[in-house]
């Protein structure tokens, strides 16, 4: 039995057999053509381009129908790449000037592009490399014919083990056969991961060395909740996981009943539970899981998924769709939080230390026309329902003042143009840098609300990169420093009557629910599927109990003590829900 640890990207647990998918990239010989053949070769290329574009348009439509808009944006991104002349002109150039065959020119151009993405040293670019190979393969298929994938021979239920998967490969999975997948490469925000979630196939990526050890037909367990993969499990482990799969199915059913129940403690205090979303499609998921609004709309994904900047109109349409789906429930739109691990060569640039660089509000304030377009779209949406705007990574009061000034200016312009909007639209900030947390009382005087972003607050307070698996054990919201910062922020906010929510991953982790309520938070925003789990805790505790837990946590010296204690507290409240997530 071999146990591997990777990055969980799509939840669920499956037991099955291995099917290796190790399709080699097609090798294209470096062949020259005669001068008189150049025009014909260019024509061949244009034809393959047109066929690929037609195919992608059909694929996008089909994906939208079967899996929804979020999954379809991936093929919209592919279409955008192929329609972008900065991508295709180097191919034409290579045929015309260097006189290489169309297939070699395509292959060389995409290799160059993939190399450029790889050199960016940034996880967002790394995840795009797959998209580049996908397009390369598609164009080559039209030029030189089908390269049959092993996947075509899969005639039974199996778990795919692959070095990497392209989005097209993932989208083409037959769900009745592919019950899970594991890859060597990949990250949480890769398109392949997004598709796995849309397809509802448990998946773990970043599992190094598995492909060397695995072979077809071996038994394998994929735990997409915890990022664990077990190759050749023993009987006892298989039984344990089979029980867990049954428990999870029961838990899913009983949690479904909670959706319509109010989120109140046993002594009647309401705890707002909101959802964090990246795409409008997820609004529906938040509502069906019993969420009462959107506490964080990560709008940067609108920019990351597009090769060109979305226009004001396109952005407005997205916000409008969200407001309409929410039917009067609140929507917090966070202005684009680009940079650091959420980068794109159109919106950011390579930096030596991107997490401390020109990201988030800093980027926006250096790119005012782009920022203005987004603010105009948000302000216009405020006419249609309760929209709030939130600025990310505020570290100095000047950033907040500058952003507010720009917002006022945008509002004045719109008023002059006779456009409707809510002049009193609340303006809030993310508290996700220690500087903002420490002087929260200063920010409270000029903010309408706060949202504590523990993901970055932990990263910057503990000096631990949130994306680096080598220091992952040091990255925890249980550290006493985080406890103290949250406590101080909530106190300062209360004194100034500034409503405060929390939207980092800790908000959706049931081990933290009691503590966060005990620290005075009454609004939590999280990954939509976690809302029922947190609601279950909320409905099982009273405020006094939560405050006692928070006081006790305040007396601990180390994150280990805090974690162990919070685990015990949670296990006592709902043992069965906790058991499902704690199998080690
Ligand atoms: C955070 O930092 O806690 C947060 C919610 O923002 P993001 O995860 O998008 O950085
Ligand atoms: Mg953040």
């Amino acid at each position: 039995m071999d146990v591997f640890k990777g990055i969980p990207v799509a939840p669920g647990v499956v037991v099955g057999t291995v099917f290796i998918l190790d399709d080699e990239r097609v090798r294209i010989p470096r062949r020259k053509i005669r001068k008189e053949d150049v025009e014909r070769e260019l024509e061949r290329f244009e034809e393959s381009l047109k066929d690929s574009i037609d195919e992608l348009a059909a694929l996008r439509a089909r994906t939208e129908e079967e899996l929804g808009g979020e999954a379809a944006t991936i093929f919209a991104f592919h279409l955008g790449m192929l329609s972008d002349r900065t991508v295709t002109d180097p191919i034409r150039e290579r045929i015309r000037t260097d006189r290489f065959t169309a297939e070699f020119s395509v292959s060389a151009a995409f290799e160059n592009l993939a190399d450029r993405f790889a050199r960016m040293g940034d996880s967002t670019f790394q995840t795009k490399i797959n998209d580049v190979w996908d397009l390369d393969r598609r164009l080559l298929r039209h030029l030189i014919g089908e390269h049959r994938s092993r996947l075509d021979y899969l005639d039974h239920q199996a778990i795919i083990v692959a070095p990497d998967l392209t989005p097209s490969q993932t989208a083409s999975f037959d769900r009745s056969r592919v019950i899970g997948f594991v890859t060597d490469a990949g990250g949480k925000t890769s398109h392949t991961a997004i598709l796995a979630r849309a397809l509802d196939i448990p998946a773990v990526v970043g599992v190094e060395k598995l492909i060397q050890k695995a072979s077809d037909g071996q038994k394998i367990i994929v735990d997409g909740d915890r990022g664990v993969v077990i190759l050749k499990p023993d009987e006892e482990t298989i039984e344990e996981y089979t029980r867990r799969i049954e428990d999870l199915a029961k838990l899913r059913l009983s949690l479904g009943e909670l959706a319509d129940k109010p989120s109140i403690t046993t002594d009647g205090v309401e705890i707002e539970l909101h959802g964090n979303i990246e795409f409008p499609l997820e609004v529906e998921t938040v509502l069906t899981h019993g969420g009462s609004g959107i506490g964080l709309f990560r709008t940067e994904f609108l920019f990351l998924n597009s090769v060109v900047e979305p226009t004001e109109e396109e952005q407005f349409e997205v916000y409008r769709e969200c407001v309409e789906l929410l039917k009067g429930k609140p929507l917090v739109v966070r202005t684009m939080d680009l940079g650091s691990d959420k980068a794109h060569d159109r919106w950011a640039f390579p930096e030596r230390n991107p997490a401390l660089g020109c990201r988030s509000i800093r980027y926006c304030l250096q790119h005012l026309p782009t920022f203005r377009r987004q603010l105009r779209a948000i302000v216009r949406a405020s006419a249609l329902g309760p929209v709030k705007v939130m600025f990310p990574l505020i570290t100095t009061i000047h950033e907040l003042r500058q952003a507010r000034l720009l917002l006022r200016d945008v509002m004045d312009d719109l008023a002059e143009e006779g456009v409707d909007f809510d002049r009193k639209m609340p303006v809030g900030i993310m508290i996700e840098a220690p500087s903002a947390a420490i002087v929260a009382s200063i920010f409270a005087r000029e903010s309408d609300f706060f949202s504590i972003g523990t993901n970055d607050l932990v990263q910057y307070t503990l000096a631990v990169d949130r994306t680096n698996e080598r220091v992952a054990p040091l990255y925890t919201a249980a550290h006493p420093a985080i406890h103290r910062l949250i406590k101080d922020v909530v106190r300062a906010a209360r004194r100034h009557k500034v409503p405060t929510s929390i939207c980092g991953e800790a908000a959706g982790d049931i081990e933290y629910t009691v503590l966060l309520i005990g620290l005075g938070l009454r609004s939590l925003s999280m990954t939509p599927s976690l809302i029922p789990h947190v609601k279950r805790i909320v409905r099982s505790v009273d405020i006094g109990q939560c405050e006692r837990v928070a006081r006790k946590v305040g007396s601990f010296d180390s994150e280990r003590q805090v974690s162990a204690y919070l685990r015990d507290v949670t296990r006592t409240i709902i043992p069965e829900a906790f058991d499902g997530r704690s199998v080690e």
Side-chain angles (χ1 to χ4, degrees):
M1 180 163 105
D2 292 311
V3 181
F4 299 83
K5 192 92 182 76
I7 304 165
V9 292
V13 180
V14 273
V15 179
T17 52
V18 170
F19 183 85
I20 305 274
L21 190 61
D22 196 0
D23 286 351
E24 284 282 299
R25 278 198 62 226
V26 192
R27 296 255 163 256
I28 304 294
R30 188 186 160 92
R31 262 195 27 237
K32 289 262 193 185
I33 49 171
R34 290 173 308 176
K35 199 170 174 194
E36 57 270 31
D37 291 337
V38 165
E39 279 315 309
R40 197 176 51 95
E41 211 58 15
L42 278 169
E43 257 169 46
R44 280 184 68 225
F45 167 65
E46 298 301 343
E47 247 169 58
S48 72
L49 185 63
K50 185 182 170 303
D51 290 347
S52 300
I53 287 177
D54 289 349
E55 204 171 67
L56 278 166
L59 194 55
R60 180 181 57 179
R62 205 181 72 219
T63 312
E64 177 140 26
E65 203 181 299
E66 290 175 8
L67 301 177
E70 182 191 354
T73 56
I74 292 159
F75 297 110
F77 173 73
H78 286 194
L79 269 174
M81 292 262 285
L82 286 192
S83 314
D84 186 342
R85 287 198 80 98
T86 61
V87 173
T88 55
D89 273 352
I91 302 174
R92 294 185 184 92
E93 205 43 41
R94 217 176 275 260
I95 300 174
R96 195 176 292 121
T97 318
D98 303 335
R99 284 203 255 131
F100 281 117
T101 58
E103 43 271 35
F104 181 78
S105 304
V106 164
S107 178
F110 280 106
E111 195 147 346
N112 254 347
L113 196 60
D115 270 358
R116 255 175 49 212
F117 280 6
R119 276 200 307 275
M120 300 281 185
D122 179 291
S123 63
T124 315
F125 283 111
Q126 309 277 347
T127 61
K128 298 269 190 276
I129 294 174
N130 249 349
D131 296 286
V132 174
W133 292 140
D134 210 2
L135 288 172
D136 175 55
R137 215 184 276 201
R138 188 175 298 284
L139 277 166
L140 288 178
R141 187 160 43 74
H142 286 291
L143 282 166
I144 56 175
E146 194 70 67
H147 169 71
R148 252 193 116 175
S149 160
R150 273 203 84 215
L151 199 57
D152 299 336
Y153 303 100
L154 178 63
D155 58 0
H156 55 280
Q157 277 208 334
I159 290 171
I160 305 287
V161 174
D164 205 353
L165 289 169
T166 64
S168 293
Q169 280 177 309
T170 315
S172 69
F173 282 165
D174 173 348
R175 268 177 284 180
S176 64
R177 302 223 163 111
V178 178
I179 57 169
F181 73 79
V182 188
T183 62
D184 251 30
K188 230 183 174 103
T189 58
S190 71
H191 284 150
T192 301
I194 292 173
L195 277 167
R197 289 193 283 275
L199 287 162
D200 208 10
I201 298 176
V204 179
V205 304
V207 185
E208 286 174 39
K209 310 238 162 48
L210 173 67
I211 189 98
Q212 282 115 300
K213 290 211 169 179
S215 41
D216 276 350
Q218 281 174 334
K219 264 254 174 313
I220 187 170
I221 297 173
V222 176
D223 182 341
D225 293 327
R226 292 180 303 129
V228 172
V229 177
I230 305 172
L231 190 64
K232 296 179 283 165
D234 55 29
E235 276 312 311
E236 206 180 311
T237 312
I238 294 178
E239 269 170 37
E240 184 188 319
Y241 269 89
T242 311
R243 268 199 309 278
R244 178 140 177 252
I245 292 170
E246 286 163 8
D247 286 351
L248 285 173
K250 275 190 225 143
L251 187 64
R252 249 195 205 197
L253 275 180
S254 68
L255 285 172
E257 292 163 10
L258 277 177
D260 298 328
K261 303 238 166 79
S263 172
I264 47 168
T265 56
T266 54
D267 51 341
V269 176
E270 188 189 356
I271 309 294
E272 269 179 343
L273 301 183
H274 290 166
N276 295 347
I277 61 165
E278 285 80 32
F279 303 97
L281 186 81
E282 293 167 286
V283 171
E284 207 60 56
T285 323
V286 172
L287 298 178
T288 53
H289 282 84
S292 56
I294 304 300
L296 170 66
F297 181 4
R298 290 183 163 105
T299 60
E300 54 276 11
F301 283 88
L302 303 177
F303 293 76
L304 291 172
N305 270 316
S306 163
V307 260
V308 289
E309 181 186 331
T311 62
E312 175 189 325
E313 213 47 44
E314 283 165 344
Q315 295 181 62
F316 170 69
E317 279 308 315
V318 169
Y319 307 142
R320 188 171 66 88
E321 191 183 340
C322 292
V323 175
E324 283 173 0
L325 286 168
L326 281 163
K327 297 192 180 73
K329 295 190 167 78
L331 168 70
V332 177
V333 182
R334 178 176 74 180
T335 57
M336 60 194 130
D337 185 25
L338 289 167
S340 193
D341 60 326
K342 289 179 284 195
H344 187 302
D345 63 348
R346 303 234 172 210
W347 322 116
F349 29 81
E351 290 179 294
R352 262 195 303 277
N353 205 341
L356 302 182
C358 183
R359 60 166 295 204
S360 305
I361 194 70
R362 302 169 185 179
Y363 178 86
C364 290
L365 293 173
Q366 287 187 22
H367 296 81
L368 293 180
T370 299
F371 194 25
R372 280 185 88 92
R373 268 189 288 280
Q374 179 173 41
L375 290 176
R376 280 178 64 95
I378 299 171
V379 172
R380 284 172 58 197
S382 73
L384 310 170
V387 172
K388 306 177 193 183
V389 65
M390 175 160 79
F391 301 124
L393 201 73
I394 294 283
T395 57
T396 79
I397 195 74
H398 300 292
E399 286 164 338
L400 173 58
R401 286 180 188 157
Q402 227 183 315
R404 288 199 80 131
L405 205 65
L406 196 71
L407 182 68
R408 195 168 337 133
D409 203 42
V410 160
M411 286 182 169
D412 290 346
D413 281 356
L414 287 168
E416 237 171 69
E417 292 165 31
V419 176
D420 250 10
F421 63 88
D422 173 13
R423 178 66 79 173
K424 293 207 165 65
M425 174 175 71
V427 180
I429 63 167
M430 297 269 309
I431 301 279
E432 52 182 346
S435 60
I438 293 165
V439 297
S441 56
I442 295 178
F443 287 105
R445 291 198 284 265
E446 300 181 33
S447 308
D448 298 323
F449 65 95
F450 285 161
S451 186
I452 302 173
T454 44
N455 303 343
D456 278 314
L457 191 60
V458 169
Q459 153 162 281
Y460 293 123
T461 306
L462 308 185
V464 181
D465 179 348
R466 63 192 262 195
T467 63
N468 182 345
E469 63 281 2
R470 289 172 68 190
V471 287
L474 291 172
Y475 181 92
T476 169
H479 195 290
I482 303 300
H483 175 265
R484 217 170 279 185
L485 285 176
I486 297 177
K487 188 166 124 194
D488 291 350
V489 171
V490 174
R491 270 208 195 141
R494 270 214 183 137
R495 265 202 313 278
H496 290 85
K497 299 196 172 40
V498 172
T500 299
S501 177
I502 178 164
C503 64
E505 294 308 300
D509 185 338
I510 56 168
E511 282 173 49
Y512 288 91
T513 312
V514 173
L515 172 64
L516 296 174
I517 298 173
L519 285 172
L521 286 156
R522 297 292 177 263
S523 172
L524 315 173
S525 191
M526 64 205 74
T527 301
S529 61
L530 298 172
I531 294 172
H533 296 267
V534 173
K535 195 187 272 187
R536 184 177 255 223
I537 302 266
V538 169
R539 292 175 54 85
S540 313
V541 294
D542 64 61
I543 298 293
Q545 181 185 0
C546 296
E547 287 175 348
R548 280 193 297 281
V549 167
R551 273 198 299 277
K552 177 101 178 164
V553 167
S555 71
F556 292 135
D557 300 330
S558 79
E559 56 287 355
R560 287 195 192 163
Q561 279 173 305
V562 174
S563 276
Y565 173 65
L566 290 181
R567 247 162 201 258
D568 278 350
V569 168
T570 318
R571 202 189 295 272
T572 325
I573 299 168
I574 42 169
E576 72 286 9
F578 200 71
D579 282 349
R581 357 171 14 257
S582 63
V583 184
E584 290 299 338

